[in-house]
Amino acid sequence: MSKANTIPARDTAAHRNFWTILKELDWRRYVIYIGFVVVFLFFAVLLRDQGFMSPQNLLNIFRQTATITVIAVGMTYVISCAEIDLSVGSVAGLSSVCTAMALSQWGLVPGILAGLAVGLVVGSINGALVSLLGIPSFLVTLGMLGIAVGVAQWITASAPQPILNDTFNMIFGSGDFGPVPGLVVWSAIFVAIGAVVLNRTKFGRQVLATGGNRNAAEFTGINTKRIKFQVLLISGMVASVAGMLYAGRLQSGRFQWGSGDELSAIAAVILGGTSLFGGFGSIMGTLFGALLIGLINNGLILAGLDSSQQQVVRGAIIILAVALARKK
Amino acid sequence: MNTADNVVEMRSISKGFNGVSVLKDVSFDVRKGEVHALAGGNGAGKSTLMKILQGVYQADAGEIVIGGKPATINSIQDAKAAGIGMVFQEFSLVPSLTVAQNIFLAAEPLGMGGFIDDRASVRRAKEVFAEMEVDVDPQAEVSRLGTAYWQLTEIAKALSQNAQVLIMDEPTASLARHESEALFELIDRLKQRGISIIYISHRMDEVYRLADRITILRDGARLLTEPLTAVTPEQIVEGIVGKKIEGQLAYRERDHVAHEGAPLLEVRGLNAGPRVRDVSFSLRPGEILGLAGLMGSGRTELARALFGIDRRESGEILIRGEKVNLNSPQQAIDAGVALIPEDRRAQGLVLDHSVRDNLLLPLLGQITRGPFLDSMKGKDLSSSLIKKFAVKVAHPNRPVRLLSGGNQQKVVIAKWLGTDPDILILDEPTAGVDIGTKSEILDMIRELASAGKAVIVISSEYPELLAVSDRVLVLKDGSVIRDIPRSDIADEEYLQLAVQGV
Ligand SMILES: Nc1ncnc2c1ncn2[C@@H]1O[C@H](COP(=O)(O)OP(=O)(O)OP(=O)(O)O)[C@@H](O)[C@H]1O
Ligand SMILES: [Mg+2]
């Protein structure tokens, strides 16, 4: 052991010079922020004549990313607990439908409760099957993906359910809070709560420990079954709120809302540096992961690429970013 | 020294990680057909030196000479090609494949049409095992075999690739006594065939039993290389630890056991699974109880049942005279029980998390302010634990995976003692721990007991068990067959016979 290892940590830190700090800096953890800035600057220069930098467009990016951001916050918990939730997109769709139907029948509060109930029920079923019966979450939520969207389509007979309640639409997505779009406020709230709970509470630590080594967590007195149940419940609940945000923004409930969002959310989470194998999670990273995806979508549209080209470029950028961010 | 005999020579090897130097100008050589022991404290750099020879890491400076010719070893494949095989500390087998399939993994004999010829590999595996004079079924699935067989498979794998040098990094850590003895005999036979063995171990008796020469590393530098006949055990211990330690394995009578009042822990007729059958015993404050038994005798299972991991089928557990339900580790922790599990990597630590996070995991309740964790409190608490248990760590934020084996074990112990338990169960607490640290841990156990706690120690090393226990419980097939006060145990032999049920 060298001398440096025997002196207490604090002194060593002070003695380290700039270069060793830079060398030791785990820049892979920050690759998402670097990537975000690079892509942003790239579009800012390339698309300056297409209005990329206009406040209107920038706000638009935020607005369009909001639901993915919200879903991805819940997904961060699931993935850092070494599970996966593929049902979030369909849960959002089902929630939008149930909210719309209950809203037109019974009014505002029952509408909101109906949406939340969807998340509660689906999340609990997912959680119970995974934690009590030990079925892999990949399979449980893959099945649930089909079930939720099927139910949504069935009870609406595939018809969109219009929402005429202005209060609901204003709160969930269509309105603004002063100069700030409501959707932006919603995603800010979810990101803030998500980050604080994951980093600064006992629950958050236990989620990470369970994801990092379930056995060791169990031996440490953590009820890992309960933790697994809880993360899937959270993910379902969060997805149901995202469904209401779709409903409010598009002023209707429809089974297609949210379809495919599970993949965008997973991409955002992984781009943000959360480990696909569990044990590490970063909500801030997830936010920037989602924003990066939104940025790319927006830039490619402004650049005039058609949707097939957009998909190819988007896929390539995601693979590149994950490749850079992966651990050695 | 006649260098022509050297099958492997490592010259002036230096290696650092992130600017922290781990090996300094280390030279090391191995002669044909010798067993060369590599000794040194935890974190001295033994595994790192071997990983360089193995191609896992590359040296920053120095050269490797194999069979008289300079060699570049940049990958495990290079090392294999140069005739260097390794029996990994963490096994590198695929559990779902058979023994033979594992031995010839990526080197499968091909038959007609370029398809894998499984029958040929079974035949050749049989030949290798016959050469080793051990009895292993090549067609058994690895996951169904015990660790001793895993190790034999690893050795067979290396031999089938014509390894001339075998590196064994703490090979007996996961073996029962008779299995270790079988391994030693195998090593003797391999030696006669001219195969050289580099043997890393913290157990002095093994080094004396096997080795021809010994190299001691201290703090990443070579202290000495000598024939074993030229050094005394005291010199070796002092070389490893850096100071004299005396009587570490001598039993010291302590008069702290409280004989009045209720026992701290009482177990009555406990049944839990096939390996805990009708177990009864009691434990007083201040007492250290040793659990002895062969592998599979139910020692670990008893510990698990007491910690609420395995379900109790019948029987009672009383703490301070009151019946308790220990149905989950959380309930056990709340009742003041702590278990330091036998497998630190799988059960004790979240390897990728920092030393600090690992230490704080059972203590999260102590560092909250309102609903939130207080990171300053956490830092202070973890620093004080690191200091108290003298954990050698570059920075508490570094992943615990990067610590040497012995320091990882210290983290596990520190993590649990932070909860201030009344009843402490330690399952093989000194596995992989160096001699200096071992005597520190044994002292710690004695101190805790003297402070009025009750301690249960499980160990396969009899000298260690006899050094701390005030009483020894002998288990066989899940039942208690003897309950012997320390004063009745004359020596190791006596205990060994008791364990065998003679
Ligand atoms: N990949 C790595 N990155 C950073 N530090 C490392 C790495 N591998 C080992 N170290 C450090 O190098 C030192 C030597 O470790 P090594 O594992 O070689 O010790 P050892 O002699 O085998 O100890 P033990 O007897 O406990 O197994 C330790 O301080 C360890 O923390
Ligand atoms: Mg080692």
Side-chain angles (χ1 to χ4, degrees), chain A residues 1 5, chain B residues 17 22 41-48 57 170 202 402-406:
Chain A
M1 181 72 47
N5 272 20
Chain B
F17 292 107
V22 168
N42 293 127
K46 304 178 294 294
S47 297
T48 306
Y57 300 141
E170 301 185 37
H202 291 295
L402 299 181
L403 298 190
S404 73

Side-chain angles (χ1 to χ4, degrees), chain A residues 57-74:
Chain A
N57 187 51
L58 294 181
L59 269 184
N60 246 335
I61 294 176
F62 270 104
R63 200 178 292 141
Q64 282 157 0
T65 347
T67 39
I68 294 293
T69 305
V70 169
I71 292 176
V73 166

Side-chain angles (χ1 to χ4, degrees), chain B residues 155-367:
Chain B
I155 295 172
K157 187 172 170 182
L159 292 180
S160 77
Q161 290 156 352
N162 286 323
Q164 292 305 304
V165 180
L166 270 182
I167 304 168
M168 298 190 182
D169 199 344
E170 301 185 37
T172 55
S174 48
L175 295 187
R177 205 179 204 5
H178 66 280
E179 294 168 337
S180 304
E181 196 45 51
L183 176 71
F184 300 156
E185 282 164 17
L186 173 60
I187 291 177
D188 287 338
R189 287 196 294 274
L190 293 174
K191 202 169 120 174
Q192 275 159 19
R193 290 172 179 273
I195 288 171
S196 315
I197 286 157
I198 303 172
Y199 192 89
I200 301 182
S201 176
H202 291 295
R203 297 183 183 167
M204 290 302 296
D205 49 337
E206 293 178 2
V207 171
Y208 267 90
R209 159 82 174 72
L210 294 169
D212 301 302
R213 285 195 301 158
I214 183 167
T215 290
I216 298 179
L217 295 183
R218 181 149 90 212
D219 296 342
R222 184 176 74 166
L223 197 69
L224 59 83
T225 298
E226 293 286 348
L228 265 173
T229 46
V231 281
T232 63
E234 290 74 28
Q235 279 175 310
I236 295 178
V237 172
E238 197 185 328
I240 292 170
V241 183
K243 62 173 189 236
K244 277 205 169 66
I245 45 171
E246 273 154 21
Q248 51 141 351
L249 288 181
Y251 175 68
R252 273 171 249 155
E253 188 111 24
R254 294 168 309 107
D255 45 9
H256 294 276
V257 184
H259 289 286
E260 296 89 42
L264 191 45
L265 173 71
E266 201 175 348
V267 176
R268 291 184 194 153
L270 182 68
N271 282 300
R275 296 243 180 103
V276 179
R277 304 317 300 169
D278 195 27
V279 171
S280 303
F281 67 92
S282 67
L283 190 58
R284 301 197 157 269
E287 196 173 24
I288 304 175
L289 178 70
L291 292 191
L294 298 173
M295 239 182 213
S297 59
R299 294 166 303 170
T300 294
E301 287 77 4
L302 176 57
R304 291 169 62 103
L306 291 177
F307 195 58
I309 294 171
D310 292 344
R311 198 150 272 292
R312 175 169 52 106
E313 290 152 13
S314 63
E316 290 173 350
I317 299 173
L318 292 86
I319 291 180
R320 292 206 171 81
E322 280 178 42
K323 266 191 219 171
V324 286
N325 271 325
L326 304 180
N327 295 328
S328 71
Q330 189 58 55
Q331 282 178 340
I333 293 166
D334 292 343
V337 184
L339 168 67
I340 290 163
E342 64 180 333
D343 186 341
R344 62 174 166 259
R345 301 173 70 87
Q347 303 163 333
L349 298 168
V350 185
L351 286 171
D352 286 332
H353 285 190
S354 67
V355 174
R356 177 179 296 144
D357 285 348
N358 270 286
L359 284 172
L360 295 178
L361 198 55
L363 308 172
L364 293 175
Q366 289 178 29
I367 55 165

Side-chain angles (χ1 to χ4, degrees), chain A:
Chain A
M1 181 72 47
S2 79
K3 250 189 254 143
N5 272 20
T6 48
I7 354 180
R10 259 174 231 184
D11 306 32
T12 354
H15 288 193
R16 274 198 209 132
N17 67 35
F18 177 73
W19 281 111
T20 46
I21 292 177
L22 200 69
K23 230 168 68 186
E24 281 191 29
L25 189 77
D26 188 6
W27 62 272
R28 280 159 203 280
R29 273 177 54 192
Y30 304 106
V31 81
I32 178 62
Y33 307 108
I34 301 169
F36 180 82
V37 171
V38 169
V39 171
F40 186 86
L41 292 178
F42 179 75
F43 283 146
V45 173
L46 192 78
L47 302 172
R48 63 187 174 283
D49 299 331
Q50 277 86 347
F52 176 78
M53 287 296 280
S54 74
Q56 196 52 43
N57 187 51
L58 294 181
L59 269 184
N60 246 335
I61 294 176
F62 270 104
R63 200 178 292 141
Q64 282 157 0
T65 347
T67 39
I68 294 293
T69 305
V70 169
I71 292 176
V73 166
M75 187 69 81
T76 308
Y77 281 79
V78 179
I79 292 182
S80 56
C81 197
E83 298 292 343
I84 195 93
D85 188 350
L86 299 175
S87 68
V88 284
S90 336
V91 169
L94 182 58
S95 147
S96 77
V97 164
C98 290
T99 304
M101 292 170 87
L103 209 65
S104 64
Q105 285 276 332
W106 301 297
L108 181 65
V109 175
I112 296 173
L113 291 180
L116 290 175
V118 168
L120 186 73
V121 170
V122 177
S124 304
I125 295 175
N126 284 342
L129 290 174
V130 169
S131 69
L132 297 182
L133 297 187
I135 310 176
S137 55
F138 184 89
L139 297 176
V140 169
T141 58
L142 183 64
M144 197 52 88
L145 181 157
I147 294 173
V149 81
V151 169
Q153 192 170 1
W154 189 5
I155 58 178
T156 59
S158 306
Q161 307 293 311
I163 298 177
L164 305 172
N165 185 319
D166 284 339
T167 324
F168 179 87
N169 290 337
M170 290 305 283
I171 300 174
F172 289 92
S174 294
D176 293 334
F177 289 80
V180 191
L183 279 171
V184 175
V185 175
W186 274 105
S187 53
I189 291 172
F190 272 85
V191 167
I193 295 177
V196 169
V197 171
L198 190 62
N199 298 325
R200 303 264 336 257
T201 67
K202 201 171 153 177
F203 172 71
R205 283 292 166 81
Q206 295 189 336
V207 168
L208 296 177
T210 304
N213 183 348
R214 183 172 187 181
N215 233 326
E218 188 81 44
F219 268 85
T220 309
I222 295 170
N223 188 339
T224 57
K225 281 185 180 164
R226 188 165 69 203
I227 298 284
K228 300 240 162 189
F229 178 85
Q230 284 167 333
V231 293
L232 285 160
L233 178 60
I234 289 175
S235 170
M237 296 289 290
V238 168
S240 71
V241 175
M244 290 192 269
L245 294 176
Y246 272 118
R249 175 157 62 103
L250 302 165
Q251 312 203 343
S252 64
R254 206 166 174 186
F255 73 93
Q256 291 106 323
W257 297 162
S259 92
D261 278 6
E262 58 280 347
L263 297 182
S264 309
I266 292 169
V269 172
I270 301 302
L271 278 174
T274 294
S275 165
L276 191 50
F277 306 106
F280 294 97
S282 162
I283 298 281
M284 270 308 150
T286 294
L287 168 65
F288 278 84
L291 285 176
L292 179 60
I293 293 176
L295 200 63
I296 295 169
N297 286 344
N298 179 273
L300 296 181
I301 293 171
L302 290 188
L305 270 64
D306 68 33
S307 80
S308 55
Q309 293 165 323
Q310 283 174 35
Q311 290 195 36
V312 173
V313 175
R314 191 170 53 212
I317 292 180
I318 289 175
I319 292 175
L320 184 73
V322 173
L324 287 174
R326 86 192 189 287
K327 273 204 263 176
K328 254 192 293 189

Side-chain angles (χ1 to χ4, degrees), chain B residues 438-473:
Chain B
K438 185 188 247 179
S439 69
E440 280 173 35
I441 291 178
L442 296 184
D443 278 338
M444 220 153 66
I445 292 174
R446 293 187 185 110
E447 243 170 68
L448 287 165
S450 298
K453 311 207 180 275
V455 185
I456 298 178
V457 180
I458 300 175
S459 173
S460 306
E461 285 182 69
Y462 298 139
E464 172 179 307
L465 210 54
L466 292 177
V468 289
S469 312
D470 302 314
R471 236 171 81 213
V472 176
L473 217 56

